[in-house]
Amino acid sequence: MGTVRVADVNVIEWQGSDQAKAAAIQARGIVFTPEELAGKTREHHLGSETEPELFEVQFGPDTVVQPHAHLCDEIIYVIAGQLILGSRVLEAGSSVLIAGLTLYSFRAGPDGVHFVNFRPRSGAGYLSKDEFMAQRGSDLAVG
């Protein structure tokens, strides 16, 4: 039997950075900027191994999100502000698909950015640039 789950905007709340997740990542020696940690998220659907994940993110003006990768694909849809991805400036209504295990970073525009992030499942993981490069190097050494 099918399932319908509603995320009511009047019920879900904005949260600061997930301290437990941030602490676990920082324990690996990864450093987040204060601006990254000041970002806010609002979970619409938490996802699982078999269900998709959907959440909103807000970053303040000119916040730089450090280079990183995730284990699975994701789609980012810009709701407001600008998401600057390399030389591309994504305005409200724009989206980007980032394949899993792709190293990327971005910057919020001068008015900040508000976007929705969709992933096919939860547990996307977070790999810093150093971890990504080390994994890539070990994959090349094995292959």
Side-chain angles (χ1 to χ4, degrees), residues 1 6 88 105 111:
M1 180 156 251
V6 173
R88 306 281 311 253
S105 68
D111 295 324

Side-chain angles (χ1 to χ4, degrees), residues 50-125:
T50 59
E51 295 178 337
E53 174 182 47
L54 180 73
F55 56 97
E56 281 180 83
V57 178
Q58 290 183 344
F59 284 114
D62 302 311
T63 297
V64 174
V65 173
Q66 302 299 313
H68 66 285
H70 299 285
L71 301 175
C72 64
D73 299 350
E74 64 185 319
I75 295 174
I76 296 173
Y77 177 83
V78 180
I79 295 173
Q82 295 176 327
L83 187 141
I84 302 166
L85 188 67
S87 63
R88 306 281 311 253
V89 178
L90 304 179
E91 305 278 349
S94 299
S95 63
V96 58
L97 182 143
I98 302 167
L101 296 175
T102 299
L103 188 64
Y104 74 100
S105 68
F106 62 87
R107 180 170 54 89
D111 295 324
V113 68
H114 177 187
F115 62 86
V116 173
N117 193 301
F118 170 82
R119 296 180 181 149
R121 67 184 192 295
S122 66

Side-chain angles (χ1 to χ4, degrees), residues 15-34:
Q15 305 290 321
S17 14
D18 182 325
Q19 298 301 313
K21 281 184 185 176
I25 293 170
Q26 289 170 321
R28 299 188 334 237
I30 298 166
V31 177
F32 292 110
T33 66

